[in-house]
Amino acid sequence: EAYRLLFEGNPHPILLYDIDTWQILAANEAAAALYGWSRGELLSMTVLDLRPEEDHARFRRTVPEIPDEVTRIGPVTQRTRDGRELTVQITTAGITLAEGRRARLTVVEDVTEDRQLQEARDRLASVVAGSHDAIIVTDLRGRVQAWNPAAEQLFGYTEDDMRGRSIGAVHPPGDGPTFREMVGDVVAGRAVRMYDAIGRHRDG
């Protein structure tokens, strides 16, 4: 009874399925909420129904090779009732039920948003790295966090040279707004001002 309550009330989606037939034997409410099928509907399905069709052959081939010990798998793609694709991490373990039936208990973690965020970061990093304009990223204290190849060409410092250093090394105080004033614009959500300034190359 204690284990049943832990299964039912767990905030993470959990599935129990037969290793030989792939039939879903149990699903908690969190699984129903994630996939969009009711618990009753999930019990009439197999775990293959949660995978894109093109992934079925690989799933059939690789799942029998997973050890019974607790194993973390992913990221893998699954689908919902409305056809959306999810990126999930799976923690799974093989168990033997009372009647000797072999099954696998699977806890699912939806990492779709994390994956999309990382892909967006990767795309942005590619754009910055490939830009012909010098692009420098600092924190709000003016310490360099990122420095693209065009900045290396313009100022003569590599990213390793500049990471963590003050932007003042290449932008000494002079004409235009101070760095503190520019930070104030950013924090307030105002447009950053464009201005002409003198930069300092590594060779002075």
Side-chain angles (χ1 to χ4, degrees):
E1 179 67 10
Y3 283 115
R4 185 187 70 79
L5 291 173
L6 181 62
F7 180 92
E8 301 288 357
N10 200 297
H12 294 290
I14 305 178
L15 299 171
L16 178 70
Y17 67 90
D18 186 290
I19 287 179
D20 296 319
T21 65
W22 315 116
Q23 183 72 36
I24 296 174
L25 305 175
N28 66 356
E29 285 295 343
L34 177 65
Y35 296 113
W37 284 281
S38 70
R39 293 175 68 180
E41 289 170 326
L42 286 170
L43 297 184
S44 69
M45 299 164 57
T46 71
V47 284
L48 286 171
D49 295 323
L50 303 178
R51 298 281 186 130
E53 190 170 344
E54 61 270 18
D55 194 35
H56 287 189
R58 185 173 65 87
F59 181 80
R60 286 192 180 97
R61 185 177 64 253
T62 58
V63 167
E65 300 172 356
I66 301 173
D68 285 345
E69 293 79 14
V70 174
T71 304
R72 190 163 173 82
I73 302 170
V76 299
T77 301
Q78 294 188 331
R79 68 182 187 91
T80 64
R81 183 173 191 163
D82 61 9
R84 290 184 300 111
E85 289 195 345
L86 303 174
T87 301
V88 301
Q89 293 274 3
I90 291 173
T91 302
T92 184
I95 61 174
T96 301
L97 303 180
E99 66 272 23
R101 192 176 192 180
R102 298 285 296 135
R104 186 165 286 284
L105 187 68
T106 296
V107 180
V108 181
E109 180 185 0
D110 182 7
V111 294
T112 305
E113 290 187 5
D114 292 342
R115 183 77 175 267
Q116 292 171 343
L117 180 59
Q118 185 58 53
E119 289 174 351
R121 286 173 174 165
D122 290 344
R123 286 194 297 271
L124 180 58
S126 296
V127 170
V128 169
S131 175
H132 295 294
D133 293 322
I135 299 177
I136 302 167
V137 180
T138 74
D139 63 16
L140 296 183
R141 294 170 62 183
R143 294 173 301 196
V144 173
Q145 306 297 304
W147 181 272
N148 75 342
E152 292 185 4
Q153 292 182 348
L154 183 63
F155 293 109
Y157 292 98
T158 67
E159 184 174 29
D160 287 341
D161 292 332
M162 287 301 299
R163 190 180 292 113
R165 291 183 62 183
S166 169
I167 190 66
V170 294
H171 280 303
D175 295 335
T178 65
F179 185 81
R180 179 173 294 182
E181 290 171 336
M182 295 189 351
V183 167
D185 288 339
V186 171
V187 171
R190 294 187 292 267
V192 176
R193 287 169 275 183
M194 301 287 290
Y195 66 96
D196 293 331
I198 301 298
R200 179 184 293 129
H201 192 273
R202 184 172 190 165
D203 63 10

